[in-house]
Amino acid sequence: MITLYNPKRSAVELTEQFAYDWNDVRGWAPDTAANRISKSNFDLLIEYTRIIESWNETGNLLIERNSSDSEEAKDCNIAIISLGYIILGIILEFWLRAFLSVFYEDYIVDPCRYKTGTSKKSKDPANDMTLAELINYCSDPVKGIGSCRLHVLNDSTYRDWADRIRRRRNAVHSFQAKTSSFTVKELSDDIEHLQPFIYGLIFQLPDPTDR
């Protein structure tokens, strides 16, 4: 359990604390973890999180300005909601990659880890695994090594949440007419789940006060 983190802090505050604690962990964390996490763009992650946490205010304001029934206004609103899911997907993917990077030493000896094609070379969670693979691997409560399993994803609410973000992030391609059913209320609810998800993930990491 990480004692420096408060479950009442915002997603931005939790992310900023994580960036401070894990930006330079050489000599404390294993080299495999330090090498992967040190390549992270924490500043960009913080800004993405800041944007999405304020989305319910700024995004809704933009949608209210496009309150007409014209096709142009409807398309603009769909685009705004879709951008929200793109940003949520980026944030979710970062955290899952960071989580498995921290526990890379466990992951690499897990017989259930993902491997590439016929070469059977282990997929690097920091670079090679898809978001679907990251979600499936981290949420499996039965197979493999326990430290690599993200407890918050054992909750079906958060597993469904992660899958929904993945699907909706992938559905925004211009050739896929799947975004028109997304609603502001759904995006708002999904944003509300981000802070508890981040806290639940951080709760499983090694305590930085043990350095």
Side-chain angles (χ1 to χ4, degrees), residues 12-150:
V12 172
E13 291 171 329
L14 291 172
T15 304
E16 288 174 333
Q17 185 69 55
F18 176 85
Y20 175 81
D21 290 336
W22 290 88
N23 187 47
D24 183 8
V25 292
R26 297 186 188 281
W28 174 63
D31 288 344
T32 51
N35 291 339
R36 284 165 174 77
I37 295 175
S38 65
K39 297 176 183 178
S40 301
N41 190 333
F42 289 111
D43 291 339
L44 188 58
L45 175 68
I46 291 168
E47 290 310 310
Y48 278 135
T49 308
R50 197 184 309 281
I51 289 169
I52 206 63
E53 255 196 340
S54 64
W55 197 266
N56 285 341
E57 178 181 346
T58 57
N60 287 347
L61 181 61
L62 288 171
I63 288 173
E64 286 172 4
R65 290 176 179 173
N66 294 304
S67 57
S68 74
D69 292 329
S70 70
E71 289 302 314
E72 181 179 358
K74 290 178 181 178
D75 287 343
C76 183
N77 291 342
I78 291 169
I80 292 169
I81 296 170
S82 298
L83 283 172
Y85 277 108
I86 291 172
I87 296 171
L88 270 178
I90 292 170
I91 296 170
L92 172 64
E93 187 168 321
F94 172 91
W95 281 108
L96 294 180
R97 292 191 189 283
F99 178 77
L100 288 182
S101 293
V102 170
F103 293 109
Y104 185 78
E105 293 294 318
D106 293 334
Y107 167 80
I108 201 65
V109 297
D110 186 349
C112 297
R113 68 189 180 279
Y114 276 92
K115 301 175 184 177
T116 57
T118 56
S119 68
K120 301 301 181 182
K121 180 182 177 182
S122 298
K123 284 191 174 184
D124 189 332
N127 301 299
D128 303 329
M129 293 171 68
T130 67
L131 181 54
E133 289 173 336
L134 290 164
I135 294 170
N136 289 337
Y137 179 78
C138 289
S139 63
D140 193 322
V142 178
K143 296 179 180 178
I145 297 175
S147 62
C148 295
R149 299 305 182 264
L150 184 51

